[in-house]
Amino acid sequence: MRRFIPLHAVLTLAASLVSASVLAQPPHRRGPPPEAIQACAAKSQGATCTIDFPDRQREGTCESHHGETLACRPARPPGPPPEALAACSGLQEGEACTVTLHDRELQGQCHTGPDQQRACHPERPHRGHPPD
């Protein structure tokens, strides 16, 4: 005579195994960029610093990231890249614009952000369609 295990018992066991494996994974955290860590390599907590990015510099303060790595935290959140600002120079809110970022020419619209800077916001490609 065969014994049948109730379906809900099997599903409960499977769900608990999946939950345990997911909970065992460490949470994914993004750390500061390498340039921010380098800017504070020889400095202490609270020191002023400058992050050297390939296309611009950011002033900030050396702070530890989640109590671990000392890195330069920008004094204000980063704004749009200079190319996006230049693409909307002389254009009005909502006008079409073209910006070249990372060797790609992108079409978009000019929008004013919370920092009151008008920049070209590229249109996002539709899912399922490869970018041009």
Side-chain angles (χ1 to χ4, degrees), residues 75-111:
R76 65 175 189 83
E83 299 89 349
L85 295 170
C88 285
S89 178
L91 299 178
Q92 298 298 314
E93 182 76 16
E95 283 192 63
C97 57
T98 302
V99 61
T100 302
L101 296 170
H102 308 291
D103 299 324
R104 291 187 60 206
E105 191 172 273
L106 305 168
Q107 304 299 314
Q109 289 186 334
C110 294
H111 291 289

Side-chain angles (χ1 to χ4, degrees), residues 52-68:
D52 292 315
F53 290 108
D55 59 343
R56 64 188 180 278
Q57 290 186 329
R58 288 260 178 228
E59 301 297 320
T61 305
C62 292
E63 296 180 12
S64 63
H65 179 72
H66 296 289
E68 298 169 1

Side-chain angles (χ1 to χ4, degrees), residues 4 13 19 50 60-61 68 72 91 99 105 112-113 127:
F4 290 99
L13 177 62
S19 296
T50 302
T61 305
E68 298 169 1
C72 190
L91 299 178
V99 61
E105 191 172 273
T112 304
R127 288 187 174 195

Side-chain angles (χ1 to χ4, degrees), residues 4-94:
F4 290 99
I5 299 173
L7 180 59
H8 72 278
V10 171
L11 292 176
T12 301
L13 177 62
S16 66
L17 291 173
V18 169
S19 296
S21 69
V22 169
L23 292 174
Q25 299 291 326
H28 178 69
R29 289 193 324 229
R30 279 188 40 165
E35 296 90 347
I37 295 170
Q38 172 108 20
C40 290
K43 297 188 178 195
S44 60
Q45 178 84 13
T48 58
C49 53
T50 302
I51 307 172
D52 292 315
F53 290 108
D55 59 343
R56 64 188 180 278
Q57 290 186 329
R58 288 260 178 228
E59 301 297 320
T61 305
C62 292
E63 296 180 12
S64 63
H65 179 72
H66 296 289
E68 298 169 1
T69 307
L70 193 63
C72 190
R73 181 182 187 112
R76 65 175 189 83
E83 299 89 349
L85 295 170
C88 285
S89 178
L91 299 178
Q92 298 298 314
E93 182 76 16

